[in-house]
Amino acid sequence: MSAPAGGSRRPFAAVLTANTISIAGSSLTLIGVPWFVLQTTGSAGRAGVVAFCATLPVIVAALVGGPVIDRIGRRRVSVTSDLVCALSVGAIPLLHYAGALEFWMLCALMAVSGLVHTPGLTARGVLLPNLAEHAGTTITRAAGLYDAVSRGARMIGAALAGVLIAFFGAETVLLLDAATFGASALLVGAFLRGIPAADPQRGGGAVSLALYRAELGEGWAFLLKSRLLLGVTSMVMLTNGMDQAWGAVLLPVHGRDALGGATAIGLMISLFGGFALLGALLYGAWGDRLPRRLVFAAAFILCGAPRYVVAGLTDTALPLAVTMALSGLGAGVLNPVLTTVIYEHVPEELRSRVAGVTTAGCELTMPLGGLAAGLLVESWGIGTALLLFGGAYLLTTLAPLVFPAWRAMEKPPLSRTEPAPHGSVPADRSRLPSGS
């Protein structure tokens, strides 16, 4: 589809490229930091503490960041976020090389990175409908492509991390991640100039604490009134905590003890990411012909519990590799479905605020996930911890099949014949087909 008159695909392409580079770099840190902690301390508990420190500020940033993103401007927030992340992540290996890195410094630097990283991701994410329109494509096609390149970036970053750690050490991986944040900042800063939705949104009166609280409250009020969005947020909140446990503690410890090291961990994450990319592409091609709720539930069940259970019951790489591939296939379906549903249900002027509170809710258990995994591993062993998390994951992912509110996934809140309330997304733009 060609871009509309006066439009351009370059801003959308720049955001896709920036996200690809940044997410690939974040995959380096996803493997590099836990491995660095295990190498330097040998403690699964300390790996959990670092994960806790990295994710707790994420909740704070997401909780209060929506109105701030709109006031400062989405482009500025994205650029500033990437630059601060580059400095905080890059400082870890530099301090280590200088012999000055203490454990509390590592925790503090990861906390700074967590605090500013989520607003940058949110700022780019809420621009997606505007960039799609600017590029002359639909939201669902843009969402599918956005998720596909993110999955591909995670796959490449994970594979690269495993190899780099094996040959050069975790410190090199963290330096490379710092460079990717800098590249992302340059792309967004250069190519999103002139996009009105990326600039500060000043409407609504002079800046004040009362206005800020009112804008923040609008996001919470909208979330609490939508049973579907509240259900999505609650379920993803629980699974994100368990995924954090998996990525920050369980898989690194299992990889160290049974799979042979960081290269095997990188391979597992790459398989997951590669098949997630395939899942996103397959759903993009045929997903609009399928019932969203049932597909979403089946995909979530497939991508969750099996990898924990297989890892807990076997000490060899091949069964887990096959499971990670199948789990990735299911995971690739999830974000295109959720992105389409959320943009159908949330008015444009509330996207930053609703995105902020939903992100905060979805990430609420992430600090506890890594911390709990570290404590369970040290108390009961890696096998028991994996099986406990797998059982909890399975029970959580049954929610779309049990609770009636999830049936609202099948259609937008407005039909094409119903008038849109003041300030909401027009009906003909909110009823985009799913799955592209």
Side-chain angles (χ1 to χ4, degrees), residues 67 71 204-215:
R71 292 288 179 177
V207 178
S208 67
L209 180 60
L211 179 61
Y212 172 80
R213 286 163 53 189
E215 291 178 347

Side-chain angles (χ1 to χ4, degrees), residues 194-290:
I195 303 297
D199 293 331
Q201 309 298 305
R202 300 293 187 185
V207 178
S208 67
L209 180 60
L211 179 61
Y212 172 80
R213 286 163 53 189
E215 291 178 347
L216 187 62
E218 286 179 337
W220 280 107
F222 190 93
L223 174 63
L224 294 174
K225 288 178 181 178
S226 171
R227 295 176 62 192
L228 174 61
L229 294 184
L230 191 59
V232 168
T233 301
S234 300
M235 177 173 147
V236 177
M237 174 187 69
L238 296 175
T239 58
N240 275 348
M242 290 179 274
D243 285 330
Q244 178 67 12
W246 172 263
V249 178
L250 298 177
L251 182 59
V253 173
H254 183 63
R256 180 194 64 182
D257 295 347
L259 302 180
T263 302
I265 298 173
L267 173 63
M268 297 301 166
I269 297 176
S270 293
L271 282 170
F272 187 89
F275 277 82
L277 172 59
L278 177 61
L281 294 174
L282 290 175
Y283 186 81
W286 292 292
D288 56 347
R289 307 172 191 176
L290 303 172

